[in-house]
Amino acid sequence: MKQTPVVLIHGAWFHMSSWEGWAERFTAYGYAVCVPGWPGEAHTADRARRDPGPPRDLGLAALAAHYEQVVRGFDDPPVLIGHSAGGLIAQHLLGADLGRAAVALAPLPAGGVPPADGRSRPWPLMSAGPTRHPGFGQLPRARFRHLVVNTVGEGEAEQLFDRYAVPAPLRLLADLGLDGTATGPVGTVVDTANTARGPLLLVSGQEDRMVPDAVTRSVYKLYGDSSAVTDLKQFADRGHSLVFDSGWRSVADHVLGWLAANGVEAVAPQG
């Protein structure tokens, strides 16, 4: 019995433990789940807040190269599931034919995506808050509430911040255009015209304030020249926290169903 590998890739300002529900659910369905985290990432969010450590000089190119090394270590191309900046990296790896399939949840877009509905991009408004760790920026609690967990109650919002929010390297934030000095991610190429790649699912929350639904729809349109499977799923009343707030199961179950519908079973058939 050969299990299909799944690699979960998180984004900036979130700890890898934000995938804990998904890891348990996909494992229960028979997938071989890997949550490698970032280079040198602390094992817990609390520890990462106290001492972010080695990721200080991490940039987008280095982060993408880290995950490329991870996926090349599998005997068979894995399923790539990424959230936020992780969704951008998942698309990059799929376009390079390094994944069997990919799911990009509320993905930060690659450069070239126009602003939503003619408005200014949302991410330049996200200047990082002060932190006692040089080289890192923390998304302040109030801004986390406004941009990430705007669709949940106050109590849950507080719990999610305490459980998953961590400082992010300023160099990475600059590369992603999340430090207020750029107009969007730069330096990571996504091959949207690749016709030989595996299937791709883009997922948006229609109340997302960090990566608005209109931006994800613009990303979807970039794949119009590819005949490879590209699907878009929009979740009403969901924000950027759709992968780790109390509604995460409905999103995960949709992804599980989508994978099965595209022939990506948890266990490879014998023979």
Side-chain angles (χ1 to χ4, degrees), residues 72-139:
R72 287 187 182 278
F74 290 94
D75 293 334
D76 299 305
V79 174
L80 307 163
I81 302 179
H83 173 229
S84 196
L88 172 62
I89 292 173
Q91 292 175 78
H92 165 71
L93 296 173
L94 182 70
D97 296 319
L98 295 176
R100 181 175 176 183
V103 179
L105 300 129
L108 287 173
V113 173
D117 301 327
R119 297 185 299 243
S120 298
R121 295 179 184 272
W123 36 88
L125 303 178
M126 300 177 201
S127 56
T131 174
R132 65 180 182 275
H133 305 293
F136 289 88
Q138 174 71 57
L139 193 64

Side-chain angles (χ1 to χ4, degrees), residues 151-207:
T151 60
V152 305
E154 289 291 344
E156 183 179 354
E158 290 290 319
Q159 292 175 356
L160 293 174
F161 182 89
D162 292 336
R163 189 162 189 168
Y164 301 127
V166 296
L170 292 178
R171 178 175 178 180
L172 178 62
L173 295 179
D175 288 350
L176 291 169
L178 291 172
D179 65 343
T181 62
T183 57
V186 295
T188 294
V189 176
V190 175
D191 185 357
T192 58
N194 185 348
T195 60
R197 62 163 171 81
L200 169 67
L201 173 64
L202 297 166
V203 178
S204 68
Q206 292 186 313
E207 299 300 323

Side-chain angles (χ1 to χ4, degrees), residues 11 58 61 74 80 93 98 106 143 155 165 170 197 200 203 215 221-223 231 241 256:
L58 186 67
F74 290 94
L80 307 163
L93 296 173
L98 295 176
R143 190 158 289 180
L170 292 178
R197 62 163 171 81
L200 169 67
V203 178
V215 172
K221 292 176 182 177
L222 292 179
Y223 287 93
D231 293 322
S241 61
L256 285 165

Side-chain angles (χ1 to χ4, degrees), residues 4 10 30 34 50 66 69 75 97 99-100 114-115 127 130 142 155 168 184 206 235 253-254 259:
T4 299
H10 67 84
C34 175
R50 287 186 282 110
H66 165 71
Q69 183 178 25
D75 293 334
D97 296 319
R100 181 175 176 183
S127 56
Q206 292 186 313
F235 282 89
D253 286 348
H254 180 85
L259 288 171

